[in-house]
Amino acid sequence: MNKKQRTMLVRIIIAAVLMIVLNFIPATGWLRFLLYLVPYLVIGYDILLKAGKGIKNRQVFDENFLMAVATIGAIALALLERNGDYTEAIAVMLFYQVGEWFQSYAVGKSRRNISELMDIRPDYANVEKDGKLERVDPDEVEVGTVIVVQPGEKVPIDGTIIQGSSTLNTSALTGESLPRDAKDGDEIISGCINMTGVLKIQTTKEFGESTVSKILDLVENASSR
């Protein structure tokens, strides 16, 4: 939750509390109007400002303008009928801001998840040659090649474990917070992080067809739309 979202949450809580409290205060006339105006402005001042800017820029019919018209209309109706029922205007603005807050929170969380996904792309693959590990581009690794993944490294290509056992962090791919155990014979997908033991993996796909590549392609295509 960022600073803007925290500020909005505080405004929502303050406006909701004030609206409830004011229902128990026996005020009438203009005093009641002024008291109810406080929570209305607390929760809706930014909407009114945006609506005003929209009118100034000749971009009238947006959601801010419609919210302003609806709530100001409800207040005006309460004044004309002299019933002092300003709760409806505050409630409409309050529910709108609650919806906007949830949307903002969800979008922010999605962006963070996308950023985490972009970090799963492996930079290299370890291939054993003449008894030594050589770092190569994952795109250069052919199907059937044995690669070595050391603790702390990302699994670069889908394959099958032929030697070793370890614990894998799959949270960036599956969202699971608990690590997963892997051993000889288990299939393993790219993008996981090897946490403990050294693994020797025989690749079953090319890098371009591996899980991490497909996920990144989907994310990049979705982001470009």
Side-chain angles (χ1 to χ4, degrees):
M1 191 184 302
N2 57 36
K3 184 178 179 181
K4 185 177 180 181
Q5 290 167 345
R6 286 194 295 270
T7 301
M8 176 54 70
L9 184 59
V10 170
R11 286 172 56 196
I12 289 171
I13 293 172
I14 291 173
V17 170
L18 286 174
M19 185 177 68
I20 294 171
V21 170
L22 287 174
N23 283 322
F24 298 97
I25 296 178
T28 58
W30 286 105
L31 177 60
R32 183 177 178 84
F33 168 73
L34 293 174
L35 288 175
Y36 273 89
L37 191 62
V38 173
Y40 175 76
L41 292 177
V42 167
I43 194 61
Y45 76 88
D46 54 333
I47 301 298
L48 298 177
L49 289 175
K50 290 176 183 177
K53 289 180 181 178
I55 295 172
K56 184 179 179 181
N57 297 328
R58 297 182 180 180
Q59 297 176 347
V60 178
F61 295 105
D62 60 1
E63 57 188 5
N64 298 306
F65 175 78
L66 296 176
M67 283 299 303
V69 169
T71 53
I72 292 174
I75 292 173
L77 189 62
L79 286 171
L80 288 173
E81 295 181 353
R82 297 182 180 180
N83 57 14
D85 187 12
Y86 307 108
T87 306
E88 182 178 343
I90 300 171
V92 169
M93 191 70 81
L94 184 63
F95 286 130
Y96 173 77
Q97 293 285 41
V98 168
E100 289 292 296
W101 184 86
F102 275 113
Q103 180 180 341
S104 173
Y105 182 79
V107 169
K109 189 174 182 180
S110 297
R111 286 176 178 169
R112 287 193 298 272
N113 290 339
I114 289 174
S115 298
E116 291 174 1
L117 277 174
M118 299 308 288
D119 290 336
I120 67 176
R121 178 182 173 86
D123 299 319
Y124 60 88
N126 295 320
V127 178
E128 193 170 0
K129 292 182 179 180
D130 300 326
K132 295 182 179 179
L133 291 181
E134 182 179 333
R135 290 186 176 184
V136 300
D137 192 310
D139 283 314
E140 299 176 2
V141 179
E142 298 178 354
V143 175
T145 303
V146 176
I147 59 175
V148 179
V149 182
Q150 297 178 328
E153 293 183 335
K154 301 167 188 172
V155 177
I157 305 170
D158 295 2
T160 303
I161 299 174
I162 60 173
Q163 184 179 328
S165 61
S166 182
T167 303
L168 304 175
N169 181 350
T170 62
S171 59
L173 295 173
T174 64
E176 295 179 4
S177 58
L178 295 177
R180 181 172 69 87
D181 294 330
K183 60 184 185 304
D184 289 3
D186 288 351
E187 292 186 355
I188 188 170
I189 58 176
S190 54
C192 302
I193 298 177
N194 183 22
M195 298 177 65
T196 53
V198 177
L199 296 175
K200 285 190 175 182
I201 301 169
Q202 186 172 36
T203 60
T204 55
K205 295 179 181 178
E206 294 181 348
F207 177 70
E209 295 297 321
S210 63
T211 301
V212 67
S213 291
K214 290 181 178 179
I215 291 174
L216 291 173
D217 285 342
L218 289 172
V219 171
E220 289 170 359
N221 290 335
S223 299
S224 63
R225 291 178 181 175

